[in-house]
Amino acid sequence: YTDSLDFSSKRDAERYLGRFFLVNLDEFDQISVHQQAFLKHLLQKPSASLRKAYSSSIQEVRRYASFIATSNHKDLLSDLSGNRRFICVEVTAPIDTNVTVNYNQLYAQAFHAVMHGERYWLDDKDEALLKESNEEFRQVTPLEHLLLNRFSIASPENGDGEWLMTIEIFNTLQEGIREKLPMGKLTHLGRLLKKWNIPNKKTKKGSLY
């Protein structure tokens, strides 16, 4: 067990995958967006690359580590793609720490289930449910707030909307705010439009929403 993962050293962080069974990320809300991207990389790695002391060769070792995390805040996840690598649970009451868990029986049941073909991975249906459940733990960016406040989703079938290019929507969001949005946010806006399932169509001018 460890609770001292250092994101500034990616090499050491990857070593943890083969050295520990459980890595605790205390105060998860302190992890930056950039660090969350690296954490996602760690979560999906099946092995770790390690170089032993005084050795010039790099060895692939089996990954053992699982991750847990805690936070006092709910808006934790920053990825628009659904955060399917996280299972978020809100604790609504004090945890009873006086209960003794029968770990021998717990692991015996898990081992028996796996040995008899029980599925231990998430299928597409599970991932869809997990993404939906994690939405309440996702950070809403200022750009997303602007989009939801300035626009409403129209229905193309009823003809009650206007088709706009992403840059046109972006320029409208710029109006009336003190600090101009950097052009790098244009890509982020495109992802937001797709995430919210905004109706779109392809034209000679490009994609219209």
Side-chain angles (χ1 to χ4, degrees):
Y1 170 86
T2 184
D3 56 7
S4 59
L5 181 63
D6 184 6
F7 283 99
S8 64
S9 176
K10 293 185 176 181
R11 179 179 297 179
D12 287 342
E14 290 199 8
R15 287 175 178 170
Y16 278 30
L17 297 179
R19 288 183 175 178
F20 296 97
F21 280 116
L22 191 62
V23 180
N24 180 22
L25 305 175
D26 200 17
E27 300 298 333
F28 187 85
D29 52 286
Q30 299 299 317
I31 300 177
S32 67
V33 174
H34 176 71
Q35 290 172 334
Q36 279 199 34
F38 176 62
L39 176 59
K40 286 173 57 180
H41 166 71
L42 288 179
L43 294 177
Q44 67 185 10
K45 282 181 69 71
S47 61
S49 301
L50 303 179
R51 182 170 61 85
K52 295 184 177 180
Y54 309 109
S55 174
S56 59
S57 62
I58 297 177
Q59 294 180 318
E60 289 286 327
V61 298
R62 184 177 178 180
R63 175 254 181 85
Y64 296 103
S66 294
F67 290 80
I68 58 174
T70 61
S71 174
N72 291 322
H73 305 280
K74 286 187 64 173
D75 53 341
L76 302 171
L77 307 178
S78 59
D79 188 2
L80 284 174
S81 63
N83 300 292
R84 60 184 176 84
R85 295 176 181 85
F86 301 95
I87 300 176
C88 299
V89 178
E90 182 181 9
V91 179
T92 58
I95 298 175
D96 186 359
T97 58
N98 294 318
V99 177
T100 301
V101 178
N102 187 341
Y103 286 105
N104 288 333
Q105 182 62 30
L106 178 67
Y107 293 134
Q109 288 180 222
F111 181 80
H112 179 273
V114 172
M115 290 298 98
H116 286 76
E118 188 78 19
R119 180 169 56 87
Y120 57 87
W121 61 91
L122 301 179
D123 59 16
D124 292 341
K125 184 179 179 180
D126 293 330
E127 289 189 359
L129 291 172
L130 187 58
K131 290 178 182 179
E132 182 180 351
S133 173
N134 282 345
E135 268 300 297
E136 65 174 301
F137 299 95
R138 188 177 62 83
Q139 298 173 3
V140 179
T141 64
L143 184 64
E144 191 169 359
H145 274 299
L146 277 175
L147 178 63
L148 296 176
N149 286 331
R150 298 282 182 87
F151 289 94
S152 59
I153 303 176
S155 173
E157 292 80 9
N158 298 332
D160 58 352
E162 179 182 0
W163 291 102
L164 296 172
M165 297 181 65
T166 307
I167 187 63
E168 293 175 309
I169 299 173
F170 184 77
N171 289 336
T172 301
L173 297 180
Q174 300 257 31
E175 298 173 0
I177 60 175
R178 293 182 179 180
E179 296 183 8
K180 294 301 180 183
L181 299 170
M183 288 302 296
K185 294 292 185 180
L186 190 59
T187 301
H188 183 65
L189 175 60
R191 293 172 181 169
L192 281 175
L193 295 173
K194 291 180 180 178
K195 178 194 176 302
W196 285 99
N197 295 319
I198 308 296
N200 69 89
K201 64 180 180 180
K202 301 289 186 180
T203 67
K204 294 181 179 179
K205 296 169 58 178
S207 295
L208 298 179
Y209 292 89

